[in-house]
Amino acid sequence: MSGLRVDLPHPARMYDYYLGGRDSFPADRNAAARVVALFPQVRSTARANRRFLGRAVRFAARQGIRQFLDIGTGIPTADNTHQVAQTVAADARVVYVDNDPMVLSHARALLRGNAEGRTAFVDADFREPAEILRSPQVTEVLDFSLPVALMVVSLLHFVPAEDRPEQVLRQLKDALAPGSALILSHATDAFTPPEIAAHVLRTYTGAGTSLTPRSHREVLRFFDGLDLVEPGLVPVHRWRTEDAEDLGLTSEEVAGYAGVALKPGPGIAT
């Protein structure tokens, strides 16, 4: 796999480790194990985040959205975006975007839509929104004159302020038609003891991975120009909770915020 760096930890492969997957290398496992030792709840965080993805995708599909742009998809696991969306609408179309060769290799092998829907994969970086929007895979599968669910789930905390995540996200939001959705989750240190949060941050940065936990106010700014749906921006496990496991969690155990917002326009109810 061209461009694959096995000597450096990668957030997608660390996330796979937290979920109990096996698609990682020693550098990923070593870094992730240090995080687990400091903050054992990270496994609950990852699982709760995955369940939020499923709830949010089902919500969007039930609003009539049939197109999904999933940026920073990570290594395929159970209940991927197209699998969830196509249980609601068989004709749902999904484009996955990631810039890790291992993720893309697995995606091409495993992420197959049904006969009615379509899936595609783009090797691109969130920080290059124009490249994503003009890629042939995106333009062939998604019609931006119709609503699209833009997904940045557990992604933006890996984008530091100097990389202008708000401006990048704004370019992507500007491309969306009215009635489109933004599905977002983001790590926070608001519920974590400061000494533990500092140790986790040092573990990531020491492994060469940027990590920027943000406050509720900072995460809320990513939704500027959109209408948050109920219950707003809340701890991940509290967004339209359906699962008994989520009901038993605390905010300290999930250490993240999640929300879904719609782009103003007629025909889409919240």
Side-chain angles (χ1 to χ4, degrees):
M1 287 175 276
S2 176
L4 180 64
R5 291 292 303 270
V6 302
D7 56 324
L8 296 176
H10 190 281
R13 301 193 299 263
M14 292 175 67
Y15 186 74
D16 181 72
Y17 177 91
Y18 300 145
L19 288 171
R22 300 181 179 180
D23 294 308
S24 57
F25 295 102
D28 309 303
R29 293 191 289 273
N30 290 339
R34 290 197 296 274
V35 173
V36 171
L38 292 164
F39 185 64
Q41 302 96 316
V42 70
R43 294 189 185 277
S44 296
T45 300
R47 291 192 291 266
N49 191 71
R50 195 70 188 175
R51 290 190 294 272
F52 160 72
L53 181 150
R55 297 194 300 274
V57 168
R58 284 191 292 274
F59 168 82
R62 289 166 182 161
Q63 302 307 298
I65 295 175
R66 297 294 178 263
Q67 306 183 106
F68 296 80
L69 179 59
D70 186 346
I71 303 179
T73 179
I75 293 170
T77 182
D79 296 327
N80 298 291
T81 297
H82 75 280
Q83 293 168 321
V84 176
Q86 290 173 358
T87 62
V88 178
D91 59 343
R93 299 181 172 203
V94 179
V95 176
Y96 294 98
V97 180
D98 211 295
N99 65 341
D100 179 59
M102 187 171 181
V103 170
L104 293 166
S105 176
H106 280 273
R108 293 188 177 105
L110 299 177
L111 297 179
R112 293 288 180 263
N114 60 28
E116 296 177 65
R118 291 184 63 185
T119 59
F121 320 95
V122 180
D123 180 1
D125 193 303
F126 167 79
R127 298 167 180 84
E128 301 294 337
E131 179 182 343
I132 293 172
L133 294 171
R134 68 171 174 251
S135 69
Q137 298 94 325
V138 168
T139 58
E140 289 172 8
V141 175
L142 304 182
D143 178 355
F144 281 86
S145 69
L146 299 173
V148 174
L150 170 63
M151 302 175 59
V152 284
V153 175
S154 196
L155 171 66
L156 296 181
H157 45 256
F158 296 118
V159 185
E162 57 264 31
D163 285 342
R164 305 171 297 108
E166 286 186 63
Q167 293 91 323
V168 173
L169 189 61
R170 186 177 304 118
Q171 291 182 60
L172 293 165
K173 292 188 296 185
D174 286 347
L176 302 177
S180 293
L182 173 63
I183 298 173
L184 183 153
S185 65
H186 196 293
T188 184
D189 55 10
F191 311 117
T192 308
E195 65 277 9
I196 294 177
H199 281 305
V200 171
L201 183 60
R202 283 196 295 269
T203 299
Y204 269 93
T205 57
T209 298
S210 173
L211 180 65
T212 307
R214 292 184 171 95
S215 68
H216 187 274
R217 183 178 62 182
E218 290 171 319
V219 177
L220 195 60
R221 286 204 295 263
F222 291 126
F223 292 95
D224 283 354
L226 306 179
D227 296 331
L228 273 165
V229 303
E230 290 296 332
L233 181 64
V234 295
V236 173
H237 66 301
R238 289 174 50 195
W239 196 88
R240 302 199 177 198
T241 302
E242 300 171 349
D243 193 285
E245 189 170 352
D246 286 309
L247 293 172
L249 292 174
T250 65
S251 297
E252 290 80 359
E253 289 175 293
V254 297
Y257 292 115
V260 176
L262 299 177
K263 190 165 186 177
I268 301 292
T270 60

Coordinates of all heavy atoms in Angstrom, one line a residue, residues 88-127:
V88 N -32.6 1.9 5.8 CA -33.7 2.8 5.8 C -34.2 3.1 4.4 O -35.4 3.1 4.1 CB -33.4 4.1 6.5 CG1 -34.5 5.1 6.5 CG2 -33.0 3.8 8.0
A89 N -33.2 3.3 3.5 CA -33.5 3.6 2.1 C -32.5 2.8 1.2 O -31.3 3.1 1.2 CB -33.3 5.1 1.9
A90 N -33.0 1.8 0.5 CA -32.1 0.9 -0.2 C -31.3 1.7 -1.3 O -30.2 1.2 -1.7 CB -32.9 -0.2 -0.9
D91 N -31.8 2.8 -1.7 CA -31.1 3.6 -2.8 C -30.1 4.6 -2.3 O -29.7 5.5 -3.0 CB -32.2 4.2 -3.7 CG -33.1 5.2 -3.0 OD1 -33.1 5.1 -1.7 OD2 -33.7 6.0 -3.6
A92 N -29.8 4.6 -1.0 CA -28.9 5.6 -0.4 C -27.5 5.4 -1.1 O -27.0 4.3 -1.3 CB -28.8 5.4 1.1
R93 N -26.9 6.6 -1.3 CA -25.5 6.6 -1.9 C -24.6 7.2 -0.9 O -24.9 8.2 -0.2 CB -25.6 7.5 -3.1 CG -26.5 7.0 -4.2 CD -26.4 7.9 -5.4 NE -27.2 7.3 -6.5 CZ -26.9 7.7 -7.8 NH1 -26.0 8.5 -8.1 NH2 -27.6 7.1 -8.8
V94 N -23.4 6.6 -0.8 CA -22.4 7.0 0.2 C -21.0 7.1 -0.5 O -20.6 6.2 -1.2 CB -22.3 6.0 1.3 CG1 -21.3 6.4 2.4 CG2 -23.7 5.8 2.0
V95 N -20.3 8.2 -0.2 CA -18.9 8.4 -0.6 C -18.1 8.5 0.7 O -18.4 9.3 1.6 CB -18.7 9.6 -1.5 CG1 -17.2 9.8 -1.7 CG2 -19.5 9.5 -2.8
Y96 N -17.1 7.6 0.8 CA -16.2 7.6 2.0 C -14.9 8.3 1.6 O -14.4 8.1 0.5 CB -15.9 6.2 2.4 CG -17.0 5.4 2.9 CD1 -17.7 4.5 2.1 CD2 -17.4 5.5 4.3 CE1 -18.8 3.7 2.6 CE2 -18.5 4.7 4.8 CZ -19.2 3.9 3.9 OH -20.2 3.1 4.5
V97 N -14.4 9.1 2.5 CA -13.2 9.9 2.3 C -12.2 9.6 3.4 O -12.6 9.7 4.6 CB -13.5 11.4 2.2 CG1 -12.2 12.1 1.9 CG2 -14.5 11.7 1.1
D98 N -11.0 9.2 3.1 CA -9.9 9.1 4.1 C -8.6 9.2 3.4 O -8.5 9.1 2.1 CB -10.0 7.8 4.8 CG -9.5 7.8 6.2 OD1 -8.3 8.1 6.4 OD2 -10.3 7.7 7.2
N99 N -7.5 9.5 4.1 CA -6.2 9.6 3.5 C -5.2 8.6 4.1 O -4.0 8.8 4.0 CB -5.7 11.1 3.7 CG -5.5 11.4 5.1 OD1 -6.0 10.8 6.0 ND2 -4.7 12.5 5.4
D100 N -5.7 7.5 4.7 CA -4.8 6.5 5.2 C -4.9 5.3 4.2 O -6.0 4.8 4.0 CB -5.2 6.1 6.6 CG -4.3 4.9 7.1 OD1 -3.1 5.1 7.2 OD2 -4.8 3.8 7.4
P101 N -3.8 4.9 3.6 CA -3.8 3.8 2.6 C -4.4 2.5 3.2 O -5.1 1.8 2.4 CB -2.3 3.6 2.3 CG -1.7 4.9 2.6 CD -2.4 5.4 3.8
M102 N -4.2 2.2 4.4 CA -4.8 1.0 5.0 C -6.3 1.1 5.1 O -7.0 0.1 4.8 CB -4.2 0.7 6.4 CG -4.6 -0.6 7.0 SD -3.7 -0.9 8.5 CE -4.3 -2.5 9.0
V103 N -6.8 2.3 5.4 CA -8.3 2.5 5.5 C -8.9 2.3 4.1 O -9.9 1.6 3.9 CB -8.6 3.9 6.0 CG1 -10.1 4.2 5.8 CG2 -8.2 4.0 7.5
L104 N -8.2 2.9 3.1 CA -8.8 2.8 1.7 C -8.7 1.4 1.2 O -9.6 1.0 0.5 CB -8.0 3.8 0.8 CG -8.2 5.3 1.2 CD1 -7.2 6.2 0.5 CD2 -9.6 5.7 0.8
S105 N -7.6 0.7 1.5 CA -7.5 -0.7 1.0 C -8.7 -1.5 1.6 O -9.3 -2.3 0.9 CB -6.2 -1.3 1.4 OG -6.1 -2.6 1.1
H106 N -8.9 -1.4 2.9 CA -10.0 -2.1 3.5 C -11.4 -1.7 3.0 O -12.3 -2.5 2.7 CB -10.0 -2.0 5.0 CG -9.0 -2.8 5.7 ND1 -9.3 -4.1 6.1 CD2 -7.7 -2.6 6.1 CE1 -8.2 -4.6 6.7 NE2 -7.3 -3.8 6.7
A107 N -11.5 -0.4 2.8 CA -12.8 0.2 2.3 C -13.1 -0.4 0.9 O -14.3 -0.9 0.7 CB -12.7 1.7 2.2
R108 N -12.2 -0.4 0.0 CA -12.4 -0.9 -1.3 C -12.8 -2.4 -1.3 O -13.6 -2.9 -2.1 CB -11.2 -0.7 -2.2 CG -11.0 0.8 -2.5 CD -9.9 1.1 -3.5 NE -9.8 2.5 -3.8 CZ -8.8 3.3 -3.4 NH1 -7.8 2.7 -2.6 NH2 -8.7 4.5 -3.7
A109 N -12.2 -3.1 -0.4 CA -12.5 -4.6 -0.3 C -13.8 -4.9 0.4 O -14.5 -5.9 0.0 CB -11.3 -5.3 0.4
L110 N -14.2 -4.1 1.4 CA -15.3 -4.5 2.3 C -16.5 -3.7 2.1 O -17.6 -4.2 2.5 CB -14.8 -4.4 3.7 CG -13.6 -5.4 4.1 CD1 -13.2 -5.1 5.5 CD2 -14.0 -6.8 3.9
L111 N -16.4 -2.4 1.8 CA -17.6 -1.5 1.8 C -18.3 -1.6 0.4 O -18.0 -0.8 -0.5 CB -17.2 -0.1 2.1 CG -16.5 0.1 3.5 CD1 -16.2 1.6 3.7 CD2 -17.5 -0.3 4.6
R112 N -19.2 -2.5 0.3 CA -20.0 -2.7 -0.9 C -21.4 -2.4 -0.6 O -22.0 -3.0 0.3 CB -19.8 -4.1 -1.4 CG -18.4 -4.4 -1.9 CD -18.1 -3.6 -3.2 NE -16.7 -3.9 -3.7 CZ -15.7 -3.1 -3.5 NH1 -15.8 -2.0 -2.8 NH2 -14.5 -3.4 -3.9
G113 N -22.0 -1.5 -1.4 CA -23.4 -1.2 -1.2 C -24.3 -2.3 -1.9 O -23.8 -3.3 -2.5
N114 N -25.6 -2.2 -1.7 CA -26.5 -3.1 -2.3 C -26.7 -2.7 -3.8 O -26.2 -1.8 -4.3 CB -27.8 -3.2 -1.5 CG -28.5 -1.8 -1.5 OD1 -28.4 -1.0 -2.4 ND2 -29.3 -1.6 -0.5
A115 N -27.6 -3.5 -4.5 CA -27.8 -3.3 -5.9 C -28.4 -2.0 -6.2 O -28.1 -1.4 -7.3 CB -28.6 -4.4 -6.5
E116 N -29.2 -1.4 -5.3 CA -29.9 -0.2 -5.6 C -29.0 1.1 -5.2 O -29.1 2.1 -5.9 CB -31.2 -0.1 -4.8 CG -32.2 -1.2 -5.2 CD -33.4 -1.1 -4.4 OE1 -34.2 -0.1 -4.5 OE2 -33.7 -2.1 -3.6
G117 N -28.3 1.0 -4.1 CA -27.5 2.1 -3.7 C -26.1 2.0 -4.3 O -25.8 1.1 -5.0
R118 N -25.3 3.1 -4.0 CA -23.9 3.1 -4.5 C -23.0 3.5 -3.4 O -23.3 4.3 -2.5 CB -23.8 4.0 -5.7 CG -24.5 3.6 -7.0 CD -24.3 4.6 -8.1 NE -22.9 4.6 -8.5 CZ -22.3 5.5 -9.4 NH1 -23.1 6.4 -10.0 NH2 -21.1 5.4 -9.7
T119 N -21.7 3.0 -3.5 CA -20.7 3.5 -2.6 C -19.5 3.8 -3.5 O -19.3 3.3 -4.5 CB -20.3 2.5 -1.6 OG1 -19.8 1.3 -2.2 CG2 -21.5 2.1 -0.6
A120 N -18.7 4.8 -3.0 CA -17.4 5.1 -3.6 C -16.4 5.6 -2.5 O -16.8 5.8 -1.4 CB -17.6 6.2 -4.6
F121 N -15.1 5.7 -2.9 CA -14.1 5.9 -2.0 C -13.1 6.9 -2.6 O -12.7 6.8 -3.7 CB -13.3 4.6 -1.7 CG -14.3 3.5 -1.5 CD1 -14.5 2.6 -2.6 CD2 -15.0 3.3 -0.3 CE1 -15.4 1.6 -2.5 CE2 -15.9 2.2 -0.2 CZ -16.1 1.4 -1.3
V122 N -12.8 7.9 -1.8 CA -11.9 9.0 -2.2 C -10.7 9.1 -1.3 O -10.8 9.1 -0.1 CB -12.6 10.4 -2.2 CG1 -11.6 11.5 -2.6 CG2 -13.8 10.3 -3.1
D123 N -9.5 9.1 -1.9 CA -8.2 9.2 -1.2 C -8.0 10.7 -1.1 O -7.4 11.3 -2.1 CB -7.1 8.5 -1.9 CG -5.8 8.6 -1.2 OD1 -5.7 9.3 -0.1 OD2 -4.8 8.1 -1.7
A124 N -8.3 11.4 0.0 CA -8.2 12.8 0.1 C -8.2 13.2 1.6 O -8.5 12.4 2.4 CB -9.3 13.5 -0.6
D125 N -7.7 14.4 1.8 CA -7.6 14.9 3.2 C -8.7 16.0 3.4 O -9.0 16.8 2.6 CB -6.2 15.6 3.3 CG -5.8 15.9 4.8 OD1 -6.6 16.6 5.4 OD2 -4.8 15.4 5.2
F126 N -9.3 15.9 4.6 CA -10.3 16.9 5.0 C -9.8 18.3 4.7 O -10.6 19.2 4.4 CB -10.6 16.7 6.5 CG -11.4 17.8 7.1 CD1 -12.8 17.9 6.9 CD2 -10.8 18.8 7.9 CE1 -13.5 19.0 7.4 CE2 -11.5 19.8 8.4 CZ -12.9 19.9 8.2
R127 N -8.5 18.6 4.9 CA -8.0 19.9 4.8 C -8.0 20.4 3.4 O -7.7 21.6 3.1 CB -6.5 20.0 5.4 CG -6.4 19.6 6.8 CD -5.0 19.3 7.2 NE -4.9 19.0 8.6 CZ -5.0 17.8 9.1 NH1 -5.4 16.8 8.3 NH2 -4.8 17.6 10.4

